[in-house]
Amino acid sequence: MAVRAILKMGAASLLHPSVEVQDFAKENIAELIQDMKDTLQHEGGIGLAAPQIGVNKRIVILGGRDDAIPLTILINPKITPLSQEIELAFEACLSLPDLMGAVPRYKRIQFSALDAAGKSITHEVEDYHARVVQHECDHLDGVLYPMRLEDLTYFGYRDVLMARYSR
Ligand code: NI
């Protein structure tokens, strides 16, 4: 078990496209996933992608913090939008501490991936769950959420924005 340091925006690894996992055993994927779980739990986040700990492999983990999203491990994930409907909502990221921004995302998606055991899984999700999957998978293509912002007036410090929008 190991909590790993999370790279912050500006780090090169966060901008590189990650490569697909080919061989679970040779690439020590089980150990990497355990480190990602430990790190996510330690940080109290809702999702983490391998490049955020400096490993440019296509692995994300999400959920497990509350009942909203079960703990899910996605290896070599693929996303297909199920409609063209877009929703705008605030997001945060462990690589941009204290900040948040309103990001447009597909409302309904299907994702498929390999799980931690190498088994194929496919799920259809919507709303917040779909948003988290899209955010985490973006990390695998070197995309951070500020790159998707269409209106920078909805980007800022969480405490300031929360105070403004909770009125
Ligand atoms: Ni993130």
Side-chain angles (χ1 to χ4, degrees):
M1 123 149 222
V3 172
R4 307 268 293 259
I6 295 192
L7 300 181
K8 291 187 188 156
M9 185 169 67
S13 284
L14 293 175
L15 302 172
H16 290 317
S18 291
V19 298
E20 292 206 335
V21 173
Q22 306 284 352
D23 187 317
F24 280 51
K26 271 192 202 151
E27 298 177 54
N28 295 320
I29 297 306
E31 191 181 325
L32 176 58
I33 287 170
Q34 189 59 53
D35 285 0
M36 290 175 67
K37 284 183 186 171
D38 295 341
T39 304
L40 182 62
Q41 191 178 25
H42 176 78
E43 298 290 338
I46 194 69
L48 182 73
Q52 290 181 279
I53 57 167
V55 178
N56 281 107
K57 291 181 187 290
R58 300 186 80 83
I59 305 173
V60 306
I61 65 172
L62 51 115
R65 188 172 65 178
D66 49 38
D67 293 338
I69 304 178
L71 181 65
T72 311
I73 290 131
L74 302 178
I75 298 166
N76 304 340
K78 302 262 186 306
I79 292 176
T80 310
L82 291 175
S83 80
Q84 290 306 304
E85 195 176 345
I86 302 287
E87 275 186 342
L88 191 66
F90 280 111
E91 292 182 16
C93 179
L94 293 173
S95 294
L96 290 80
D98 306 327
L99 292 167
M100 68 179 198
V103 186
R105 299 282 187 191
Y106 290 111
K107 180 178 167 63
R108 294 181 60 234
I109 61 166
Q110 181 190 74
F111 64 87
S112 51
L114 301 176
D115 68 11
K119 187 171 136 267
S120 290
I121 55 167
T122 299
H123 291 291
E124 292 183 7
V125 293
E126 59 184 17
D127 300 325
Y128 177 62
H129 195 159
R131 174 170 298 279
V132 173
V133 172
Q134 290 170 84
H135 174 117
E136 295 312 326
C137 290
D138 259 359
H139 280 294
L140 306 180
D141 295 324
V143 175
L144 299 171
Y145 79 78
M147 299 174 184
R148 291 200 179 274
L149 297 175
E150 291 174 351
D151 183 346
L152 287 169
T153 66
Y154 294 103
F155 182 43
Y157 288 91
R158 188 193 324 241
D159 53 349
V160 179
L161 286 171
M162 295 287 274
R164 215 170 112 199
Y165 288 105
S166 62
R167 273 175 203 170

